[in-house]
């Protein structure tokens, strides 16, 4: 089974329309420098959709405040957060997703301090911004993945990458790929998702025997 996360949501009506596609996770960015920064009220969502807050080098108190305010089920950490902070967030009964950015190479030994203090890794494309840069990294780097922890695959995934994505998902290193993180390639404007494109992408996955 492959899970889907739709990230960078902003508009209440759009959030509700995307929720009808029944993604497993929806991401809301609480990093004030992001053009997709969320500063509204999250509408009531079905219980099966987990709300994930995205943070970049935020303090524990700030994250705790946002988690409580929006009743988030998880946090995604895009900065240089310490293993100690991850553990403190796990103690709040939050899903903790620690992000690592990749360009052409990556030292997977750097994951070791986080093995016991986060629930998932997320591999994104290293770019000018902490996330949402809109292009993919070289997924073949993941051939050297040395953990057995499930991960989210992020970074510029969209309709034009579908064939390459299918090829990746058939490779041995994809056995730990838990979720696909979709964002900028499905936008009509910053934070505004095209639900028709998202549905078509999900339908393509189902047609290729991925239960999403």
């Amino acid at each position: 089974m492959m899970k889907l996360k739709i990230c960078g949501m902003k508009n209440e009506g759009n959030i509700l329309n995307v929720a009808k596609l029944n993604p497993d996770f929806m991401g809301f960015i609480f990093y004030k420098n992001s053009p997709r920064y969320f500063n509204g009220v999250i509408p009531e969502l079905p219980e099966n959709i987990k709300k994930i807050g995205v943070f970049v080098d935020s303090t524990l108190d700030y994250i705790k405040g946002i988690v409580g305010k929006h009743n988030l089920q998880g946090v995604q950490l895009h900065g240089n957060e310490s293993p100690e902070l991850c553990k403190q967030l796990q103690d709040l009964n939050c899903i903790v997703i620690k992000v690592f950015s990749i360009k052409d190479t990556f030292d997977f030994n750097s994951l070791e301090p986080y093995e016991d203090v986060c629930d998932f890794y997320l591999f994104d494309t290293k770019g000018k911004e902490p996330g949402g840069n809109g292009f993919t990294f070289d997924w073949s780097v993941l051939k050297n993945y040395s953990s057995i922890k499930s991960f989210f695959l992020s970074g510029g995934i969209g309709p034009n990458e579908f064939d390459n994505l299918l090829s990746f998902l058939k490779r041995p290193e994809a056995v730990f790929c838990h979720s696909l993180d979709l964002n900028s390639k499905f936008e009509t404007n910053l934070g505004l998702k095209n639900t028709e494109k998202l549905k078509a992408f999900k339908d393509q996955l189902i047609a290729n025997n991925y239960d999403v």
Side-chain angles (χ1 to χ4, degrees), residues 67-107:
V67 167
K69 177 181 178 180
H70 296 283
N71 188 28
L72 303 180
Q73 285 76 51
V75 297
Q76 180 175 312
L77 306 174
H78 258 274
N80 296 304
E81 295 85 3
S82 68
E84 290 74 21
L85 178 63
C86 293
K87 179 65 170 66
Q88 289 172 308
L89 292 168
Q90 270 196 328
D91 290 343
L92 299 177
N93 293 318
C94 273
I95 298 167
V96 176
I97 304 167
K98 183 67 186 83
V99 179
F100 295 89
S101 298
I102 297 175
K103 190 174 181 182
D104 301 318
T105 62
F106 186 75
D107 178 9

Side-chain angles (χ1 to χ4, degrees), residues 7-209:
C7 199
M9 304 303 303
K10 283 190 72 170
N11 175 275
E12 181 175 349
N14 191 229
I15 291 167
L16 291 171
N17 284 332
V18 169
K20 293 175 184 176
L21 300 177
N22 202 34
D24 301 280
F25 307 91
M26 293 183 76
F28 302 87
I29 296 174
F30 297 100
Y31 173 57
K32 292 182 180 179
N33 291 338
S34 170
R36 299 177 182 88
Y37 171 62
F38 186 81
N39 193 27
V41 176
I42 301 175
E44 187 172 349
L45 298 175
E47 287 187 6
N48 59 297
I49 299 177
K50 293 180 173 62
K51 295 176 289 185
I52 306 295
V54 179
F55 301 90
V56 182
D57 292 325
S58 298
T59 65
L60 175 64
D61 285 344
Y62 177 73
I63 297 172
K64 285 172 65 175
I66 295 293
V67 167
K69 177 181 178 180
H70 296 283
N71 188 28
L72 303 180
Q73 285 76 51
V75 297
Q76 180 175 312
L77 306 174
H78 258 274
N80 296 304
E81 295 85 3
S82 68
E84 290 74 21
L85 178 63
C86 293
K87 179 65 170 66
Q88 289 172 308
L89 292 168
Q90 270 196 328
D91 290 343
L92 299 177
N93 293 318
C94 273
I95 298 167
V96 176
I97 304 167
K98 183 67 186 83
V99 179
F100 295 89
S101 298
I102 297 175
K103 190 174 181 182
D104 301 318
T105 62
F106 186 75
D107 178 9
F108 288 98
N109 291 325
S110 62
L111 303 179
E112 189 171 341
Y114 295 89
E115 280 288 298
D116 297 327
V117 294
C118 68
D119 299 283
F120 300 99
Y121 298 128
L122 183 149
F123 297 116
D124 197 3
T125 306
K126 182 175 284 188
K128 185 172 67 173
E129 302 298 332
N133 290 289
F135 50 95
T136 60
F137 65 90
D138 182 359
W139 296 334
S140 68
V141 172
L142 293 170
K143 288 179 181 177
N144 297 317
Y145 185 58
S146 53
S147 176
I148 58 170
K149 188 179 293 295
S150 297
F151 63 82
F152 286 56
L153 185 67
S154 186
I157 298 172
N160 292 340
E161 289 74 39
F162 193 81
D163 289 343
N164 288 336
L165 177 64
L166 282 185
S167 296
F168 169 75
L169 293 176
K170 292 173 183 174
R171 298 207 294 262
E173 58 269 26
V175 69
F176 298 112
C177 185
H178 176 273
S179 303
L180 302 176
D181 189 295
L182 310 179
N183 189 349
S184 60
K185 290 297 181 74
F186 293 90
E187 289 186 329
T188 55
N189 207 334
L190 288 169
L192 192 66
K193 302 301 186 286
N194 184 319
T195 53
E196 291 181 1
K197 286 176 72 173
L198 284 167
K199 184 180 185 304
F201 188 86
K202 181 174 180 177
D203 288 346
Q204 274 188 292
L205 284 168
I206 293 169
N208 283 274
N209 300 314

